[in-house]
Amino acid sequence: MTAIHTRASALTIRAGRRAIERVREQGLRPEDVHVIPGAAGGPKALGLSGLDKAIFGDWLPGAPQERSLIGASIGSWRFAAVASGDPREQLAQLAELYTTQRFAKGVSAAEVSRKSVLFLDTLLKGREETILNHPYYRLNIMVVRSRGLLEHDSKGRLSLGLMNAISANMVSRRHLGRFMERGIVHDSRLRAPVAKLVDFPSHHVALTPDNLMPALLASASIPLVMAGVRNIPGAPEGVYRDGGLLDYHLDLPFEQPGVVLYPHFTDRIIPGWFDKSLPWRRGSATGLQDVLLVAPSQEYLASLPNRKLPDRKDFERYVNDDAGREKAWRCAIAESDRLGDEFMELVATGKIREVLRPLNGPVK
């Protein structure tokens, strides 16, 4: 008998306790979703382009309603693109702009910031009012306000501040509060979709035409890679940096009706940027119990160029070969349509009930 070969699943679906119970009972409908988080992670987000297009371009419009989009770094850029016009067109534009970025070896932080401003201007300039007045989407941008040595952009002081923060985080994540504060710059039409935040000093800032672009730039301003953004209009004075420093994968106490749908590039929730090498740091089971996380499977990743999603290390891997990097990235972007197609099939057929697995457990 001839063997029948089936293509491996492109997606991994994981969920918190309440989300598992809800979806197993009634499936997943667009009207169940009121919050969508977006993680930091730079070019990795390009590998979700097809999934984002399916969710925002095809699925969610089937049940138009008020929804919070909450993102750090590239997550906030993805969601600003979604809220700025036709989601499919704007997500494709974001992916193309990111792919075609080219940086000389040893490029300065000031130059990366300058190019990032041009990136945002090309993607969003003239669309600010569309984002702020979107009938359904409410944008929330995660930033951090620097303290101590992290307020400086001089390489020596900033490097020392980062080393101190990394050492303190090794002892306990709560010690990061000595180095930075959390900021949420959010659409004032709806409160941020999180319970009271007590883990770090945190403040909320109303999103306006004046602070939209500075907040987006700050949310992606990786220390030593980009310059900090000083004095976001309407926010406490200070130097603001990448929201992923504190909230890399948005391990937050989400507070909302229904399911938190999380299109993500990995099936693990890592609380902060400094926790990437600390496998015992995991997302809070209590805060994430309504989360349904949709991520590429290991089998899918193995089918991509270099057997992974695009990432920042590719700028080093393909040094002096930007054409090679762009080819690999465009391949990953094109392949990501498979992620969107599979998601749409799972929710349409109800098979999403059968593939659910538990999300990672609490911090130990």
Side-chain angles (χ1 to χ4, degrees):
M1 180 180 293
T2 304
I4 299 175
H5 297 282
T6 59
R7 197 171 199 179
S9 174
L11 291 175
T12 294
I13 315 287
R14 294 189 178 272
R17 180 185 59 81
R18 278 202 304 245
I20 286 180
E21 293 173 357
R22 184 186 185 103
V23 174
R24 284 181 176 165
E25 179 179 331
Q26 62 187 43
L28 182 67
R29 305 165 300 176
E31 56 264 37
D32 298 329
V33 176
H34 294 260
V35 177
I36 303 97
K44 293 186 182 73
L46 305 187
L48 300 182
S49 186
L51 179 60
D52 281 346
K53 288 176 184 177
I55 290 172
F56 292 104
D58 301 324
W59 192 61
L60 291 178
Q65 63 188 20
E66 196 172 43
R67 292 185 172 96
S68 292
L69 311 180
I70 181 167
S73 195
I74 191 63
S76 68
W77 291 26
R78 286 162 59 204
F79 295 156
V82 164
S84 68
D86 180 276
R88 283 186 165 273
E89 291 180 2
Q90 286 298 93
L91 287 165
Q93 170 82 326
L94 183 148
E96 181 62 14
L97 286 170
Y98 208 131
T99 297
T100 55
Q101 288 185 113
R102 296 188 176 190
F103 299 103
K105 188 175 182 180
V107 64
S108 69
E111 177 63 9
V112 177
S113 290
R114 186 188 70 82
K115 286 194 171 184
S116 296
V117 170
L118 293 175
F119 184 122
L120 287 172
D121 281 350
T122 304
L123 180 66
L124 303 174
K125 193 72 170 178
R127 298 173 179 266
E128 293 90 341
E129 291 298 332
T130 301
I131 296 170
L132 293 168
N133 295 307
H134 197 283
Y136 308 119
Y137 293 134
R138 309 291 180 254
L139 182 62
N140 296 258
I141 303 168
M142 307 298 295
V143 296
V144 298
R145 180 172 176 255
S146 305
R147 302 180 66 180
L149 291 175
L150 296 188
E151 295 182 53
H152 300 275
D153 270 323
S154 64
K155 191 170 183 179
R157 287 182 173 184
L158 182 53
S159 296
L160 180 57
L162 289 170
M163 286 190 290
N164 290 340
I166 291 168
S167 298
N169 183 66
M170 288 287 291
V171 177
S172 174
R173 179 165 152 77
R174 70 175 182 272
H175 292 320
L176 287 177
R178 306 202 319 259
F179 303 91
M180 59 193 81
E181 301 173 358
R182 175 191 287 119
I184 305 179
V185 188
H186 68 98
D187 192 314
S188 59
R189 293 175 293 175
L190 186 67
R191 64 182 293 272
V194 292
K196 184 177 180 180
L197 297 165
V198 297
D199 52 347
F200 298 108
S202 303
H203 57 268
H204 296 248
V205 178
L207 192 60
T208 69
D210 291 334
N211 65 24
L212 171 60
M213 299 294 250
L216 288 169
L217 183 65
S219 188
S221 292
I222 304 169
L224 299 176
V225 176
M226 293 171 62
V229 175
R230 185 171 296 276
N231 299 336
I232 294 175
E237 289 188 359
V239 175
Y240 287 83
R241 301 190 187 276
D242 196 315
L245 292 170
L246 278 182
D247 297 302
Y248 186 46
H249 291 176
L250 292 98
D251 177 26
L252 297 168
F254 290 109
E255 191 171 74
Q256 77 302 312
V259 171
V260 176
L261 178 63
Y262 194 166
H264 195 17
F265 49 77
T266 178
D267 62 359
R268 178 186 171 201
I269 300 290
I270 302 172
W273 195 49
F274 301 122
D275 298 321
K276 291 188 288 183
S277 61
L278 308 178
W280 60 89
R281 292 277 171 85
R282 305 179 67 126
S284 164
T286 301
L288 301 174
Q289 58 186 319
D290 291 311
V291 168
L292 188 144
L293 185 150
V294 183
S297 68
Q298 291 301 313
E299 293 81 4
Y300 172 82
L301 294 175
S303 72
L304 299 180
N306 305 310
R307 303 177 64 84
K308 65 176 186 60
L309 298 176
D311 61 40
R312 287 190 192 90
K313 292 182 180 178
D314 288 338
F315 285 107
E316 300 173 14
R317 177 192 292 265
Y318 290 96
V319 66
N320 299 322
D321 183 18
D322 285 307
R325 175 185 56 78
E326 292 174 10
K327 180 180 178 181
W329 284 17
R330 287 197 176 97
C331 178
I333 292 166
E335 282 295 304
S336 70
D337 286 346
R338 288 172 50 198
L339 304 177
D341 291 344
E342 186 166 314
F343 174 81
M344 295 295 286
E345 180 183 0
L346 288 173
V347 294
T349 61
K351 290 181 179 178
I352 192 168
R353 298 180 177 93
E354 304 167 15
V355 298
L356 281 175
R357 298 293 181 271
L359 195 57
N360 54 231
V363 175
K364 297 182 180 178

